[in-house]
Amino acid sequence: MRDVVIIGSGCAGLTAAIYAARANLMPLVIRGIEAGGQLTLTTLVENYPGYPKGVQGPELIEMMQKQATEFGAEFLEGNVTRADLSSRPFVLEVGETRLETRTLIIASGASARLLGL
């Protein structure tokens, strides 16, 4: 049984993981199809606080993941294939793995739709 499971490993998911880990909730972050979210495809991020000259998207994600790990967050590769949210604990399936959690944070983000131009 987990206290917190987070679906998504982009900025929102990693921020949630950092806060949950600092609260000693030992969160599990499920990294999906686009591990790290859209920032892994982004070059220069100029609007993130603390980087006056900007930061590369993949570097920012890497630093956030390291920070979450440092505080105790765990990571699981895979996609949620089934979720039963009708009662607690919530039950998730990630491939063959069955997870139960008291709290679920869904930070699945979005996928870019490239125009192919």
Side-chain angles (χ1 to χ4, degrees), residues 73-103:
E74 296 178 45
F75 291 82
L76 175 65
E77 302 293 327
N79 297 313
V80 176
T81 54
R82 185 176 175 281
D84 181 359
L85 309 179
S86 62
S87 63
R88 290 188 188 225
F90 300 131
V91 178
L92 305 173
E93 290 180 13
V94 180
E96 299 295 318
T97 304
R98 183 178 188 271
L99 301 168
E100 291 184 355
T101 184
R102 291 181 180 89
T103 305

Side-chain angles (χ1 to χ4, degrees), residues 5-19:
V5 171
I6 301 165
I7 299 174
S9 59
C11 279
L14 292 174
T15 300
I18 291 166
Y19 278 88

